[in-house]
Amino acid sequence: MSGSFQDLYAKHLPCAKYGYPLRMPEPMSTLPEDYQEHGLQIGDVGIVDTSGQFDVLFNICKGSNNALHVPRGVPENFQPVQPVKDADVRCSDNAISAGPIHSSGITRHLQPDNLSRSFDYEFDSSTRAGAILILPSGAESNSSHHPNSFLRWQG
């Protein structure tokens, strides 16, 4: 590990078992408008940069002429998998409840003078390093009803 904030964050938050933790989950401003509005999509392929943001390179479910692919193109001989239809996506609006998620060794306490406000926290750590994620509105999850259609894209 290079020791970046993203490396530290990713090292300490997998204990929560919600996928790979991104320190900056917002879509990059260079992505098309639908990504700015809806975020990452099933089929996105990319890399996590050192700041912790997911840089989408292409999407295996979208054709090579899709607006997402214009700046960088797609791999040679690219053939998309079947496009993902809304009916093929399992959505969970409250997959992760609102509030804090933290690595082991961190203890959460409500601030004693603000007990009525659920977003005021105090944390103590018994370790040299750790990570904390606070989700004010929780998080949603989208997954495919047909994950086997992606098997040919595994590395």
Side-chain angles (χ1 to χ4, degrees), residues 89-140:
V89 178
R90 181 182 309 115
C91 299
S92 177
D93 290 336
N94 196 22
I96 306 173
S97 299
I101 298 170
H102 52 79
S103 56
S104 59
I106 293 179
T107 307
R108 174 182 61 116
H109 308 282
L110 284 174
Q111 294 273 14
D113 56 344
N114 293 316
L115 291 176
S116 64
R117 292 173 45 187
S118 63
F119 54 86
D120 289 335
Y121 300 101
E122 181 178 299
F123 297 92
D124 291 323
S125 178
S126 60
T127 60
R128 289 179 39 102
I132 299 168
L133 167 66
I134 299 177
L135 297 168
S137 303
E140 67 180 45

Side-chain angles (χ1 to χ4, degrees), residues 41-93:
Q41 299 175 13
I42 292 175
D44 285 340
V45 176
I47 57 173
V48 178
D49 67 16
T50 56
S51 68
Q53 199 164 24
F54 189 76
D55 186 3
V56 179
L57 301 175
F58 66 100
N59 184 298
I60 64 173
C61 300
K62 299 180 185 301
S64 56
N65 60 349
N66 186 278
L68 173 67
H69 300 145
V70 170
R72 294 182 169 147
V74 294
E76 190 175 328
N77 301 319
F78 174 75
Q79 293 294 319
V81 299
Q82 182 102 8
V84 177
K85 298 178 185 107
D86 288 345
D88 296 334
V89 178
R90 181 182 309 115
C91 299
S92 177
D93 290 336

